[in-house]
Amino acid sequence: MFLPTIDLSEQEKLSNAHFTDLIKSLNLLGDIILNIPTLADSSLVKKFLETQPIDSYWINPIKEQEFIDNDSIIRLLDQGTEKFIIPSSKILSLNFDYIPADRLAISINLDQSKDIEELIKKLTGSVSAYLITLPINSSTKSLSEDLIQNLINLTKLAQKSLLPSGGQTRIGIIIDNHNSPSIEIIQQLSEISADLVVDIGSLTLDPTDKGLINISESLICTLKTDRSDGLFTTIVSDERGEALGIVYSSAESIREALKTRTGIYQSRKRGLWHKGATSGAVQKLNKVQVDCDGDSLRFIVKQYGPGFCHLNTRTCFGNSKGLTALEQTLQNRKESAPPGSYTAKLFQNPDLLHSKIMEEADELCSAKTKDEIAWEAADLIYFALVKCIANEVSLTDIESQLDKRSKIITRRPGNAKPKWDVTSNETLSVQNNENKQQESQTKPVSTSLSTKSETIKMQKFDLSEINVTQRTSLLQRPIIKSDDIMARVRPIMDDVRKKGDAALIKLTEKFDGVKLASPVISAPFPPEAMALDESTRLAIDRAYDNIYKFHDAQYDRSTLVVETMPGVVCSRFSRPIERVGLYVPGGTAILPSTALMLGIPAKVAGCKQIVFASPPRKDGTAVPEILYVAHKVGASKVVLAGGSQAVAALAYGTESVPKVDKICGPGNQYVTAAKMVVQNDSSALTSIDMPAGPSELLVIADNTSNPAYVASDLLSQAEHGVDSQVVLVAVSLTSEHLAKIEHEIHAQASVLPRVNIVSQSIPKSFILQVDTLEDAVKFSNDYAPEHLILHLDKAESLLEKIENAGSVFVGPYSPESCGDYASGTNHTLPTYGYARIYSGVNTLTFLKHITSQQLTKEGLHNLGTTVMRLAEVEELEAHRNAVQIRLKDMEV
């Protein structure tokens, strides 16, 4: 078609209402060339764009310059210039390799340039457009055959290869000393894939302006159609490119659309169709594009009203989804959210919205798996879009900013601000300063450190300097969005329940990256799959013996018999739970210790069927240490799966996984959520051991403690995961003693293989300084830790005061690690404060107790009147009758 040019030195002319209106219509059709005298006059561009915003423009300094300022070119390109035009006389003498080809155009005078074909060959792949000036007579209404053939040769040469970024090299033809070229020339050039470069003063929208080029006719003359009615297929899309529907355009509708800058089309039945004229669903026309073959159009519009379709849906293909639908929903809720609703609060309370955005950004940074990252990113996008809608910012505005940034050539260094730079030594101090300024936020701030050179330290609080609210905050664990997690877990579990092994295999491939032939290994297990080095096997055997001894001692195999009154004997006896599923986590560590802690009490209890579940290794095999433990405890099967899919398989059963009656074992928040789903599903008929969360430990230490021992114990739990939390309650520690502990934490952590984990969990953990042992015990009981370590003088004397804890480790020579592996106690313990109400796994976990009662005639005679009276009080006549009928028989 044509490339319009605007001379920015004629500012007074451009402020004319006629030209302002013309520019708006030209902006619908694509690129506009802005002519400036020299690079020194680039300020004219900014001044023009302030009053005449256009979407895509090229810059053309029209005066020949001896020196071209590269920095000025880069600055203009960074500011949004689509292409910069350079004279052919300068292009080969300068280095423009750092500028992408699609941002450079070359101007060539056909009459003055020799070896133009050689120049084009040299520049192939380095520029994206040529503006070729033709010296022809001003009265010429069409181009000669010889000239056309010459241009065809040049065009074919320039367009022989596609550009590096895709697309064809563009050819613009400038007719020198020609004020008003004809439509015929535009059509001739269109047929050879070239455009006419023409001054805006030669263009018009008014069909009565003779001697000027009509914009509408210039577009229409380049279009093709094979339809007998002469119509052009037209796709209508919104500002973000989503197709709203397919319509038809005619020459008449195109003229009207460009003139009014609204959506006007051609109805095959009703003629000219002014979209929304009767329904109110009008359109503002933003852009008209022609496809690469010139036989169809795309109208990009801003759609108003209920939508494009006559069915009142946004598109003719149904309602929108994704971000477009979310934007619509939020816009509606901004106007009509129910008073007091969460959405209304977000729109009305900037501080709440700020907090949610920061919270979601932090959770996205902590997300690891593909699903977690997608989920957290969706949360962040939701709250970010609320912020945008609240401030009249649309998705189109956001995409416009992204498009502008994509045009920037100058690369930023990419450094984070000091406040957020997790590779900076200043990060912790910045965050600690923020915490001091925000007294109400006493919970440790999440941070992420990644190098061993940084100080790895816990945050510090003094009980005497914080209020009750702040103390309560320290007792809380990080908030787990149970509803969100449940929403992710349920579809996975439903998939396994419905599709069985097929779903289990598919999900294991998705989450663990392993394609299994079968999800189950059945006993007897292959010896080669359990092969261990001698030291590992002996360690497991010794741990097995100690754990078995302690758990066997817990089992009272006798029957309790009590005669509650003459002739009434009550008893209670235990029976093993028949089928149990034992979940052993995988992921960041191999955990045969967990297999021991679950499998041994199940074996001691006498469970008839023991099924292990644990994620496979990357080669699809079972962890040999876990398989060896499964063999020792008599497990019948090992399920090669982890996460909520493994829990679902155990709870509901599949073709190869037997359904179990109880599921035990620790896991991440998804495993815990899956266990909770199962426990609340009456159709599953499956119980669980306890809810569980991230690993945690609390140490109470006084000045008799060994700083190295204290630090090692804190780190032993902190290395489990980035969400682990450890607490040191320091009882009247001197500043020197506390400093030694902090030094040991950093020194020991820095040489750990899992330093990247500890360097994230430790800064989220804290030290609480207290004055008395009573304060320490009170805080510990309120916190109810999974593990409690007493680094105290006469530590054993404190046991009688401990009310809430999963397991207690007494004195300097009782590291938590011993309980984790081999002392004999169980390491599957309640976390997240559940030690207030739950015990850790033990032999009783795998037993159920049955009661029985036997009454003689004498016993029923003695007890009968009591039972009948209570039944009468509760108005349960059948209960009363069951006793009375027997008493009557005894009276006969």
Side-chain angles (χ1 to χ4, degrees), residues 674-682 684 686-691 838:
K675 288 167 67 177
M676 298 297 284
V677 168
V678 165
Q679 181 171 253
N680 294 325
D681 182 359
S682 58
T686 306
S687 69
I688 66 171
D689 49 356
M690 71 190 91
Y838 282 94

Side-chain angles (χ1 to χ4, degrees), residues 203-269:
L203 300 173
T204 185
L205 278 168
D206 189 345
T208 64
D209 283 341
K210 304 301 180 183
L212 298 178
I213 298 175
N214 187 278
I215 293 174
S216 301
E217 302 308 321
S218 298
L219 171 61
I220 294 165
C221 79
T222 65
L223 299 177
K224 308 167 189 173
T225 180
D226 55 6
R227 292 179 58 89
S228 58
D229 54 13
L231 300 182
F232 308 102
T233 303
T234 303
I235 298 173
V236 184
S237 69
D238 66 9
E239 302 130 302
R240 299 186 53 245
E242 181 179 12
L244 302 177
I246 297 176
V247 295
Y248 294 95
S249 295
S250 64
E252 182 185 7
S253 71
I254 292 171
R255 294 186 192 103
E256 288 299 309
L258 291 176
K259 180 180 177 181
T260 62
R261 295 189 288 279
T262 60
I264 299 176
Y265 311 103
Q266 188 73 31
S267 169
R268 288 168 293 174
K269 295 180 179 179

Side-chain angles (χ1 to χ4, degrees), residues 3-227:
L3 270 168
T5 66
I6 300 175
D7 188 347
L8 296 190
S9 63
E10 301 176 346
Q11 291 290 327
E12 290 186 11
K13 171 184 173 182
L14 297 176
S15 63
N16 179 286
H18 164 73
F19 282 106
T20 298
D21 193 59
L22 197 59
I23 290 169
K24 289 180 179 177
S25 292
L26 289 173
N27 190 44
L28 301 179
L29 297 174
D31 299 330
I32 297 175
I33 298 175
L34 303 181
N35 291 334
I36 58 175
T38 67
L39 267 176
D41 301 298
S42 59
S43 60
L44 293 173
V45 177
K46 182 179 179 182
K47 184 178 179 181
F48 171 75
L49 293 176
E50 286 174 352
T51 57
Q52 301 284 354
I54 55 179
D55 297 327
S56 184
Y57 58 91
W58 304 6
I59 299 293
N60 181 30
I62 56 178
K63 292 183 180 179
E64 186 77 15
Q65 295 173 260
E66 291 186 11
F67 174 73
I68 294 181
D69 180 5
N70 285 12
D71 291 341
S72 296
I73 296 175
I74 295 296
R75 186 163 54 251
L76 285 168
L77 292 173
D78 284 348
Q79 291 170 356
T81 300
E82 187 67 31
K83 297 185 198 297
F84 189 86
I85 303 170
I86 298 173
S88 59
S89 59
K90 299 292 182 183
I91 188 66
L92 295 180
S93 60
L94 298 170
N95 178 22
F96 292 104
D97 291 344
Y98 54 90
I99 300 178
D102 58 1
R103 308 298 295 281
L104 283 180
I106 304 300
S107 61
I108 303 173
N109 191 311
L110 192 62
D111 190 40
Q112 298 175 1
S113 298
K114 297 179 180 180
D115 299 324
I116 187 171
E117 292 186 2
E118 286 302 314
L119 177 65
I120 291 175
K121 289 178 181 178
K122 288 181 181 179
L123 295 177
T124 298
S126 299
V127 299
S128 56
Y130 295 94
L131 301 186
I132 303 174
T133 300
L134 305 181
I136 63 174
N137 189 289
S138 61
S139 62
T140 300
K141 296 300 181 183
S142 64
L143 303 179
S144 67
E145 290 185 9
D146 290 342
L147 187 55
I148 286 291
Q149 187 58 52
N150 191 10
L151 291 177
I152 288 174
N153 294 337
L154 294 177
T155 301
K156 285 183 176 180
L157 181 62
Q159 297 178 346
K160 184 177 181 181
S161 301
L162 297 179
L163 294 170
S165 59
Q168 275 189 330
T169 300
R170 194 164 182 183
I171 307 295
I173 302 299
I174 303 171
I175 299 181
D176 200 17
N177 299 320
H178 203 298
N179 292 326
S180 299
S182 66
I183 291 291
E184 185 179 351
I185 291 178
I186 292 176
Q187 193 166 18
Q188 282 181 299
L189 293 176
S190 174
E191 290 172 357
I192 63 170
S193 301
D195 300 308
L196 179 68
V197 179
V198 59
D199 182 82
I200 188 175
S202 299
L203 300 173
T204 185
L205 278 168
D206 189 345
T208 64
D209 283 341
K210 304 301 180 183
L212 298 178
I213 298 175
N214 187 278
I215 293 174
S216 301
E217 302 308 321
S218 298
L219 171 61
I220 294 165
C221 79
T222 65
L223 299 177
K224 308 167 189 173
T225 180
D226 55 6
R227 292 179 58 89

